[in-house]
Amino acid sequence: MPLSGWRVRFEKWLLHCYVMPDRYLDSSADRYAAGVPDRLRPPSLLQHNGPRGRATYGEGQCGDRRAWTWEARFEQPVPFVRLQALHLARDRVRAAVLEVSRLRFDSHPSITIKALPWGKDASADTLYEDSGRVLRELIGL
C-alpha cells in the first residue's frame, strides 16, 4: 500500500488494538511481552504468539512482538537526505554529525541524531531495546 495510506490505516489499527496506543512503543527486553496489544484482529494471533504462545509452545517456537508490529518496506533505496533521524552507537555520532553538517550546507533538511546509551554497542537487540525511548522523544511523548 502507498505510504500515504499506510498512516491512516495504522492509526485505526492502533486505536482498535490498544487502550493506550503509546504502549505499541514498548521495547522492553522481553520481546514476547513488549507492546502486546489489548486485542487484535484476528484474536487467534495473540493465542499463538507473544506471552500466550510462549507459554503454550515455548520460546523460539512462536512469534514474538514481530507477530503484531507493522513494518514499512520501500521498493527502492531511500536517499540519505530523506532521513529524518538516525539511531546509532555513540562511537558513530561524530561521523554522523559531520555528514549531517555537510548536508545542511547543501540546503537539505536537518536530521536528528539519537545515540545508544553509553557502553552499548550497536546491534539489532540494543537498537530495538532503545527504540522505544528514541521514538517517544521523536514524537514528543
Side-chain angles (χ1 to χ4, degrees):
M1 102 174 26
L3 192 56
S4 60
W6 176 88
R7 288 176 183 257
V8 171
R9 195 163 177 185
F10 179 63
E11 181 182 12
K12 288 179 182 177
W13 180 86
L14 275 176
L15 293 173
H16 169 79
C17 294
Y18 292 89
V19 172
M20 298 179 64
D22 64 323
R23 276 197 330 91
Y24 176 80
L25 299 176
D26 181 9
S27 58
S28 65
D30 183 351
R31 290 177 184 245
Y32 290 91
V36 67
D38 301 305
R39 60 187 165 274
L40 265 179
R41 282 185 221 146
S44 60
L45 190 63
L46 288 176
Q47 179 180 345
H48 300 290
N49 298 291
R52 290 173 66 191
R54 178 177 52 195
T56 303
Y57 307 108
E59 193 161 324
Q61 303 303 309
C62 65
D64 58 17
R65 70 173 280 116
R66 291 172 288 183
W68 59 80
T69 55
W70 285 53
E71 178 178 295
R73 292 186 181 199
F74 298 94
E75 294 178 352
Q76 55 194 352
V78 177
F80 187 76
V81 297
R82 299 289 307 265
L83 295 178
Q84 293 186 0
L86 288 171
H87 185 202
L88 37 83
R90 288 213 176 256
D91 65 346
R92 304 291 182 177
V93 169
R94 183 181 168 130
V97 168
L98 291 173
E99 183 63 20
V100 167
S101 296
R102 186 187 66 74
L103 291 173
R104 284 190 193 130
F105 268 137
D106 294 339
S107 71
H108 293 290
S110 179
I111 298 171
T112 301
I113 298 172
K114 297 290 185 179
L116 285 166
W118 288 104
K120 297 274 185 174
D121 293 327
S123 71
D125 288 334
T126 57
L127 288 166
Y128 157 74
E129 289 170 5
D130 195 43
S131 67
R133 174 191 65 86
V134 168
L135 289 169
R136 281 184 172 84
E137 289 175 8
L138 290 172
I139 63 175
L141 285 178

